């Protein structure tokens, strides 16, 4: 299944789940905030999610769900501002989001507001501990890290490696999870590099 369909199906799952939760029982529209990375480092993912949401809207014109789109710009700073707007101006009942720095940034506001919030993309394992009102619908880095580690050790028989990881909360989360699983299985990480961008990654690989 390709990346777009994976995210689209996650969104449909989220919509079905929200409809079953009766977050608004008075017959009014349910305001659903979509806090997505439409620009910035994760914009490709945000564009796919937006396309999936718009397809859902087209196929469900009589739905009680009113979708409100905001750009988190893939950063905690802009994510906090956009989430605050959705709370105070749009009066959202539900929020869908999915970038690790953004979720870390808005987590205190999730608790304070009590807004039902769904994470459909961020994988840092610490996310599931941030708020009782935050629900994850994808496996986190602990699952991914262990899977990659086991595959390298048992399928490829690779017991030494170097790791390039993205220098943000998302990359750090999966690196820590992979490192823990890999070293427990007698694997050795010779070196690791925190990478800021694709150009830097290419340079490191060439060296």
């Amino acid at each position: 299944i390709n990346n777009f369909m994976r995210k689209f199906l996650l969104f449909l799952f989220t919509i079905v789940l929200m409809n079953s939760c009766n977050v608004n029982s008075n017959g009014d529209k349910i305001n659903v905030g979509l806090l997505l990375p439409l620009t910035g480092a994760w914009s490709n993912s945000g564009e796919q999610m937006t396309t999936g949401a718009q397809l859902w809207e087209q196929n469900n014109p009589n739905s009680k769900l009113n979708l409100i789109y905001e750009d988190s710009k893939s950063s905690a700073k802009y994510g906090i501002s956009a989430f605050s707007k959705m709370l105070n101006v749009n009066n959202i009942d539900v929020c869908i989001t999915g970038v690790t720095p953004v979720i870390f940034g808005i987590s205190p506001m999730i608790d304070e507001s009590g807004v039902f919030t769904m994470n459909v993309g961020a994988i840092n394992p610490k996310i599931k501990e941030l708020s009782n009102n935050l629900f994850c619908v994808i496996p986190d880095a602990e699952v991914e890290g262990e899977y990659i580690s086991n595959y390298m050790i048992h399928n490829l028989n690779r017991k030494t490696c170097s790791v390039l990881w993205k220098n943000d909360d998302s990359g750090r989360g999966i690196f820590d999870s992979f490192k823990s699983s890999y070293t427990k299985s007698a694997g050795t990480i010779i070196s690791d590099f925190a990478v800021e961008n694709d150009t830097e990654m290419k340079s490191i690989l060439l060296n």
Side-chain angles (χ1 to χ4, degrees), residues 156-174:
L156 302 179
N157 195 31
R158 303 292 184 181
K159 296 186 177 181
T160 60
C161 71
S162 291
V163 181
L164 280 71
W165 53 280
K166 185 171 177 59
N167 191 20
D168 62 15
D169 289 323
S170 178
R172 190 173 296 105
I174 194 166

Side-chain angles (χ1 to χ4, degrees), residues 4-190:
F4 169 78
M5 286 304 299
R6 178 174 65 86
K7 293 183 182 298
F8 181 49
L9 290 174
L10 281 173
F11 183 83
L12 290 181
F13 170 81
T14 302
I15 292 295
V16 171
L17 181 59
M18 287 190 302
N19 271 309
S20 69
C21 285
N22 295 319
V23 294
N24 187 332
S25 59
N26 60 10
D28 295 334
K29 282 278 189 177
I30 300 171
N31 292 322
V32 180
L34 299 179
L35 184 57
L36 305 177
L38 304 180
T39 56
W42 301 97
S43 59
N44 182 60
S45 175
E47 289 171 2
Q48 293 179 34
M49 285 294 293
T50 299
T51 300
Q54 290 172 342
L55 285 172
W56 186 89
E57 284 185 291
Q58 292 172 13
N59 291 323
N60 296 271
N62 299 319
S63 170
K64 289 177 60 178
L65 303 183
N66 176 38
L67 305 189
I68 300 159
Y69 298 83
E70 287 290 342
D71 183 10
S72 71
K73 300 186 179 182
S74 308
S75 80
K77 175 183 176 181
Y78 290 103
I80 290 170
S81 176
F83 189 64
S84 178
K85 177 188 174 187
M86 289 193 297
L87 289 175
N88 298 316
V89 177
N90 304 115
N91 297 314
I92 59 170
D93 302 290
V94 176
C95 181
I96 298 172
T97 189
V99 176
T100 299
V102 173
I103 293 179
F104 276 127
I106 68 173
S107 60
M109 301 167 70
I110 294 173
D111 262 347
E112 183 179 348
S113 66
V115 166
F116 182 91
T117 303
M118 299 202 72
N119 164 36
V120 298
I123 62 172
N124 189 299
K126 295 180 180 178
I127 286 174
K128 58 180 175 281
E129 303 169 3
L130 293 177
S131 171
N132 290 329
N133 294 313
L134 177 62
F135 301 86
C136 300
V137 297
I138 63 168
D140 65 28
E142 290 179 343
V143 176
E144 288 198 31
E146 184 177 5
Y147 177 85
I148 296 169
S149 170
N150 288 338
Y151 186 80
M152 288 180 63
I153 295 287
H154 301 297
N155 295 70
L156 302 179
N157 195 31
R158 303 292 184 181
K159 296 186 177 181
T160 60
C161 71
S162 291
V163 181
L164 280 71
W165 53 280
K166 185 171 177 59
N167 191 20
D168 62 15
D169 289 323
S170 178
R172 190 173 296 105
I174 194 166
F175 172 61
D176 289 344
S177 296
F178 168 77
K179 180 179 179 180
S180 174
S181 178
Y182 193 64
T183 54
K184 283 180 182 178
S185 299
T188 300
I189 298 176
I190 298 172

